Amino acid sequence: MSMKKKVQAGFTLIELMIVVAIIGILAAIALPAYQDYTKRAHVSEGLSLAGSAKLAVTEFYADRGAWPTTNPAAGLPAATDITGNAVTSVAVGATGGTITITYNAKVDNGKTIVLTPTVADAKGSVTWTCTGGDVPSKFRPATCRSAT
């Protein structure tokens, strides 16, 4: 009779535990990054919804030489009628033609981004800044982050 060596089949418990630990570490890193990514996408949705409001405010200014103070004055629906998946309202402000985008819990409940128009030159061209509001900087597009 000859002695045959028994061949190991399968994985040991330690090897399986190492694999599970590696998957756990990767998940712990990936999930928060993905959540931030989805919130940034929702913030972008608000900015695209505000696009028509920006056009309406700019057109109002070009026509009358003053800023509208409400959504109806700018020819827009009521603020709460301009909504989206993560947006509760898009409102034209009472001062200086500002537009305030308010988000729901998919971004951060009640947080806002404020778009502010500025007349760039004597020809009346309007430029917009979006650094106002209280949405955290990490969720904003790069152009809407404050310098501080």
Side-chain angles (χ1 to χ4, degrees):
M1 269 184 147
S2 65
M3 301 273 294
K4 288 189 176 178
K5 201 173 192 184
K6 185 176 179 185
V7 178
Q8 177 185 357
F11 298 103
T12 65
L13 182 60
I14 292 293
E15 290 170 332
L16 291 174
M17 289 174 63
I18 290 171
V19 169
V20 168
I22 291 171
I23 291 171
I25 291 168
L26 291 175
I29 294 168
L31 286 177
Y34 179 72
Q35 288 170 339
D36 286 356
Y37 169 78
T38 57
K39 286 187 180 196
R40 281 193 298 274
H42 290 311
V43 168
S44 294
E45 176 203 18
L47 291 169
S48 68
L49 280 172
S52 61
K54 284 170 50 177
L55 182 61
V57 168
T58 302
E59 187 176 292
F60 186 97
Y61 181 81
D63 185 44
R64 302 193 182 146
W67 300 112
T69 56
T70 64
N71 281 35
L76 294 167
T80 53
D81 289 343
I82 305 173
T83 61
N85 190 26
V87 177
T88 57
S89 68
V90 176
V92 174
T95 57
T98 59
I99 298 170
T100 302
I101 307 161
T102 306
Y103 293 94
N104 63 23
K106 290 187 178 182
V107 174
D108 203 346
N109 207 20
K111 297 286 186 179
T112 62
I113 286 184
V114 178
L115 305 170
T116 307
T118 306
V119 179
D121 55 33
K123 296 176 185 170
S125 64
V126 176
T127 58
W128 291 86
T129 58
C130 53
T131 55
D134 54 5
V135 167
S137 184
K138 68 180 180 176
F139 300 142
R140 294 171 177 256
T143 56
C144 295
R145 294 179 186 148
S146 60
T148 56

